[in-house]
Amino acid sequence: MTRSVSVAKTTVPAGLYIGGTWFDGRGPLLETVNPATEQVIASITTASEGDIDNAVSAARECFETNWGTNTSGQVRGKLMLALADALERENERIAKVESEDSGKPLAWCKVDNEDAVACYRYYAGLADKIHGTTIELDDQEKKIAPALAAGCTIVFKAAESTPLATLLFAEIFDTVGYGDLGSILPPTSIPAVADSPLLRFPAGTFNHVSGLGATVGNALSRHMDIDKIAFTGSTATGRHILKAAAETNLKGVTLELGGKSANIVFEDAKLEDAAKWAAFGVFENMGQSCSAGSRILVQEGVYDKFIELFVKETQAIKVGDPAKHDTFQGPQANKVQFEKILGYIKAGKEEGGRLVTGDVTMDMKIAKEEIFGPVACVIKFKTEEETIKLANGTEYGLAAAVHTNDE
């Protein structure tokens, strides 16, 4: 019997989903920790290189026989709409599992799933307008949805510290379908699937494997039968993936890497609004966002007033139990990241930064490197030309914001 675990009062599969079937992986067990309690909540099986080969083979066979151009765009779109409806029905269950696994507040996890539902519905409308090929990726709806719409088959590796919600996604994916009149399979009707006339995703369309980046991620990056890798994560890992792709079959690579985004506040801005959105921009999701506005550039004439307002907004943020509805900020996703953030704060203080209220300069480590946590560097500027130079003075270029009343 395939391994499963109990998390957030629900059962979550803890194996590999390959070719429409659940298997126990042949790699070592991987423990996942609830960062709010620092307690192990599940142990899941991981993939061996042989398991990776099987997942890629299942994806390739499905693409060449039952999916891709062998399934009309109209049918792909209907299946994606069925998937979106199933995810919408399971919102509470998905959100609770994700919150326990990642520490993200439950209310935000529900919003994330609502966004995912909207994403699948959007790309369902494009399914009869685009085409594709086999793709491996390492993110959720914003990569899976367009891949499915294009007729691609997928091998998905979840983040090693937060794999449970995507395992639950795979279970839901396995149940969805639609009938001749577009009726949707209820999630409680899973036993009837085998005898049902409902049209379903072909086995191998979506495959899920778990494991460490150094082993499973590396095996995927170097696999000779994967046509494309899509990765979201650190710049260092992105470089490794790009190198691995170049050394093997020159597979296509799409990377969304780190950020040190500038949030620019000019003297004519409405400071109360600027402070509110600057706080949201860096503290949302505990600062664990590639596009977090972690460098706040403030014109010198309003610098002190902005700091006052920003500190006020920061102090109003509710930090606490992720399960409580009014919690805005929970714990960091794991202890390693927590310690890394503290290290950056220590380095900033040692280099002359003033904790809580800014006074950071661009030559400091804390202002140059991605922290991926709830830490904002507030930097003073004089002119528009100077702030453009400061904003662009980083190796990252993911996002930016400007607060001004100058139209």
Side-chain angles (χ1 to χ4, degrees), residues 123-154:
Y123 281 102
L126 295 178
D128 59 353
K129 304 172 183 67
I130 50 180
H131 307 282
T133 186
T134 304
I135 183 171
E136 188 282 322
L137 42 88
D138 191 308
D139 199 23
Q140 249 287 15
E141 73 280 353
K142 292 182 178 64
K143 293 185 174 69
I144 294 178
L148 291 175
C152 301
T153 53
I154 300 161

Side-chain angles (χ1 to χ4, degrees), residues 10-26:
T10 192
T11 300
V12 178
L16 313 179
Y17 181 64
I18 298 174
T21 304
W22 287 97
F23 299 92
D24 282 334
R26 291 173 287 178

Side-chain angles (χ1 to χ4, degrees), residues 303-361:
Y303 180 85
D304 291 337
K305 181 62 177 177
F306 176 85
I307 289 292
E308 177 187 333
L309 294 169
F310 182 73
V311 169
K312 182 180 178 181
E313 290 289 341
T314 301
Q315 291 173 337
I317 290 174
K318 178 65 179 297
V319 180
D321 184 352
K324 293 185 177 180
H325 75 278
D326 59 343
T327 296
F328 181 85
Q329 184 173 320
Q332 302 309 123
N334 55 69
K335 188 68 173 289
V336 172
Q337 183 62 23
F338 175 74
E339 297 292 346
K340 179 182 175 182
I341 292 167
L342 293 182
Y344 273 109
I345 293 173
K346 180 181 178 182
K349 292 169 65 178
E350 289 175 349
E351 293 176 4
R354 185 158 52 98
L355 186 61
V356 178
T357 57
D359 283 1
V360 174
T361 58

Side-chain angles (χ1 to χ4, degrees), residues 100-112:
E100 282 207 17
D101 197 24
S102 70
K104 189 168 187 174
L106 179 61
W108 281 105
C109 291
K110 292 179 181 179
V111 171
D112 286 347

